[in-house]
Amino acid sequence: MTRSTAAPVALVKSTPPIEELLLRVQGEFLEMPGLRVTEAQARRLWGLDTATCSTLLSALIEAGFLFRTPDGAFVRTEHGTPLKARLAPRPGRITAA
């Protein structure tokens, strides 16, 4: 019986290409309307390092898919800013005398 003296090969976890990550993150936001995450939460949720996560979120903002709220959370653009009705004053408004 021969015994191998070679050290076991370590499995290296590789990061998927950025295009795959972009599609995955977009899919998550589309599947979960109202999803709101901070950058730290996004890193944990998708298992990303700081630089990759920052690049990914920036690319999605530049593409107009995400919006960053004043408190630092990321949401889909449709959910990023509330719609507000703006009523113009009516001309010739009649007042009671």
Side-chain angles (χ1 to χ4, degrees):
M1 183 189 300
T2 60
R3 199 168 194 192
S4 174
T5 57
V9 177
L11 296 176
V12 178
K13 185 178 177 182
S14 63
T15 304
I18 196 76
E19 294 82 17
E20 275 184 44
L21 291 171
L22 285 168
L23 291 173
R24 179 177 166 203
V25 171
Q26 284 179 321
E28 300 257 356
F29 275 97
L30 291 170
E31 288 176 14
M32 292 183 274
L35 178 62
R36 174 186 176 90
V37 295
T38 64
E39 188 168 338
Q41 291 169 331
R43 283 195 309 268
R44 287 191 302 273
L45 180 62
W46 296 302
L48 302 172
D49 61 78
T50 303
T52 302
C53 188
S54 180
T55 300
L56 177 76
L57 294 171
S58 294
L60 291 170
I61 288 172
E62 287 178 30
F65 184 79
L66 291 183
F67 173 82
R68 190 167 194 170
T69 65
D71 66 350
F74 295 86
V75 294
R76 274 183 50 204
T77 301
E78 296 85 38
H79 304 290
T81 54
L83 297 175
K84 294 182 181 178
R86 296 177 200 237
L87 301 174
R90 290 185 187 174
R93 188 171 179 182
I94 300 174
T95 58

